[in-house]
Amino acid sequence: MEVLVICFYVLFACSVIVAGREHDSAGKEDTGNKMNTKKEREAVYDRHTKVQDVINDPAFGSYGRLIFPVDIQIDNSLELEDVEEILPWYSEVNPDKTVEIANYMKNQAARDEQIFYDIYTDEEKAADPEKEETGLFFFRGDPGEKFAVLNAGGGFMYVAGMQDSFPHALELSKKGYNAFALIYRPGAQTACEDLSKAIAFISDHAEELQVDPDDYFLWGGSAGARMAAWVGTYGTSAFGEKEYPAPTAVIMQYTGLSEITGEEPPTYACVGTSDGIASYQTMSTRINRIKANGTNAEIEIFKGLSHGFGLGEGTAAEGWLDHAVEFWENNMG
């Protein structure tokens, strides 16, 4: 089953993935003057804003290119309301949420709030130029509160942050938690290396970032869920970093991962019954095996939903994020 899924990813991706990756200069934040008036804080983007206008907005400096997938060709005429066209395999993409996220980022940047962080040094990026296309988007919660790292899917071909990590991060920040959405290098191994590096970066800069490094959790959808599960189970040292504490919980959406080691952290999962990529039976079996090992685990299965439903607003899955947060909180030390 997993081999067939991977083949599907590759065949589908051939029609949308641009050969090679553009290596612009590193995404360090350019900040301008503070803008605090009510007018300047109002929404500047709407459904008909061009995606390229967001990417090239001076407020985002050189990291604007990472807001949308760098491995997908984006037509100059594409508008925010049609972002689903550049998010293969995803469903239930909410244009209003896309606009909300873009405006949130714009307003934060306009207030001189740093919303993007490099995880690799200039020297590391010079040695491996593909690391130019990585980093963390920070959705701030309450100072000193706990944090989550969110990993979007995309079949290890691209990073679908606008559907699979940014919305979740924004909602977590509204609850007071600090949330980091990871932009990683496609490829299972490199993605896990980037996630491990992100955990190291946040942990080592916890005081500067004003986050509580204890009881963090890893979140992911589709390929991103595999990343969360692998790093959560095998640890950061398995992917080139020193050993950092394991996450308190792993939150997984729609992925057909079946392997079990017995070392899994507490795990919450959710999936739809009409998912043609990640079988709900496979996910349910994995959760039951984790529970059989004596580890807390839960799954929610939503009738009729397909792959990549994100927050699931207006669907049978609406409210699942609250359940996932409650699961995380119940497993804190």
Side-chain angles (χ1 to χ4, degrees):
M1 176 65 185
E2 293 184 53
V3 172
L4 292 175
V5 168
I6 292 171
C7 291
F8 172 83
Y9 275 140
V10 173
L11 289 173
F12 195 103
C14 287
S15 66
V16 294
I17 304 300
V18 175
R21 310 184 77 197
E22 294 180 6
H23 302 302
D24 299 333
S25 53
K28 291 228 172 157
E29 186 164 2
D30 286 340
T31 56
N33 295 325
K34 273 195 174 181
M35 301 197 297
N36 295 313
T37 68
K38 179 179 179 181
K39 182 177 181 181
E40 288 164 333
R41 291 197 301 268
E42 290 174 352
V44 294
Y45 306 133
D46 59 31
R47 280 174 168 244
H48 299 295
T49 299
K50 301 291 193 296
V51 170
Q52 292 289 359
D53 288 341
V54 177
I55 290 173
N56 296 311
D57 192 317
F60 300 132
S62 60
Y63 64 82
R65 72 192 189 283
L66 299 176
I67 296 174
F68 296 92
V70 297
D71 297 285
I72 299 286
Q73 186 172 13
I74 301 176
D75 191 273
N76 288 335
S77 65
L78 186 71
E79 298 178 345
L80 290 180
E81 70 176 359
D82 297 317
V83 161
E84 188 169 2
E85 293 181 14
I86 56 169
L87 300 176
W89 314 308
Y90 281 88
S91 65
E92 314 300 335
V93 178
N94 182 350
D96 291 329
K97 181 60 68 174
T98 300
V99 171
E100 180 187 359
I101 291 164
N103 278 309
Y104 167 85
M105 289 180 167
K106 169 75 173 183
N107 288 327
Q108 292 294 101
R111 297 186 189 117
D112 274 357
E113 291 284 357
Q114 187 169 352
I115 65 170
F116 180 80
Y117 290 83
D118 284 306
I119 57 175
Y120 290 107
T121 65
D122 290 341
E123 291 75 19
E124 289 170 322
K125 287 183 286 187
D128 183 354
E130 289 193 353
K131 291 177 179 177
E132 297 272 7
E133 311 294 14
T134 65
L136 289 167
F137 283 97
F138 188 13
F139 293 73
R140 281 180 172 77
D142 296 332
E145 190 50 272
K146 299 184 185 301
F147 76 89
V149 183
L150 299 100
N151 312 285
F156 294 120
M157 300 290 183
Y158 75 102
V159 181
M162 194 54 79
Q163 169 71 353
D164 222 17
S165 61
F166 294 170
H168 309 62
L170 182 58
E171 295 308 305
L172 286 173
S173 72
K174 292 176 182 178
K175 294 178 178 292
Y177 292 114
N178 294 293
F180 297 87
L182 176 65
I183 307 300
Y184 56 87
R185 292 169 291 165
Q189 177 67 31
T190 52
C192 289
E193 290 172 6
D194 293 343
L195 176 53
S196 298
K197 183 70 172 182
I199 293 169
F201 176 85
I202 298 167
S203 299
D204 292 346
H205 295 84
E207 184 174 352
E208 170 194 339
L209 296 167
Q210 295 185 287
V211 302
D212 181 351
D214 298 327
D215 285 321
Y216 73 94
F217 76 144
L218 299 181
W219 196 303
S222 196
R226 289 172 178 257
M227 294 164 57
W230 286 330
V231 174
T233 298
Y234 297 108
T236 53
S237 62
F239 301 100
E241 296 296 321
K242 72 177 185 181
E243 190 63 38
Y244 285 85
T248 293
V250 167
I251 310 299
M252 303 176 67
Q253 285 189 276
Y254 34 73
T255 197
L257 185 64
S258 58
E259 65 188 55
I260 290 290
T261 69
E263 301 298 323
E264 287 71 25
T267 303
Y268 166 96
C270 65
V271 65
T273 60
S274 296
D275 193 324
I277 297 175
S279 163
Y280 71 91
Q281 292 101 329
T282 298
M283 291 191 72
S284 181
T285 297
R286 184 173 192 272
I287 290 298
N288 287 334
R289 291 178 65 194
I290 292 174
K291 290 168 66 175
N293 287 332
T295 301
N296 193 13
E298 295 179 11
I299 187 168
E300 288 191 271
I301 300 172
F302 304 115
K303 186 175 181 180
L305 275 188
S306 57
H307 194 75
F309 54 80
L311 292 180
E313 297 164 304
T315 74
E318 186 160 6
W320 77 264
L321 183 142
D322 294 331
H323 305 157
V325 171
E326 183 179 2
F327 178 87
W328 173 39
E329 292 171 339
N330 289 340
N331 284 281
M332 289 181 185

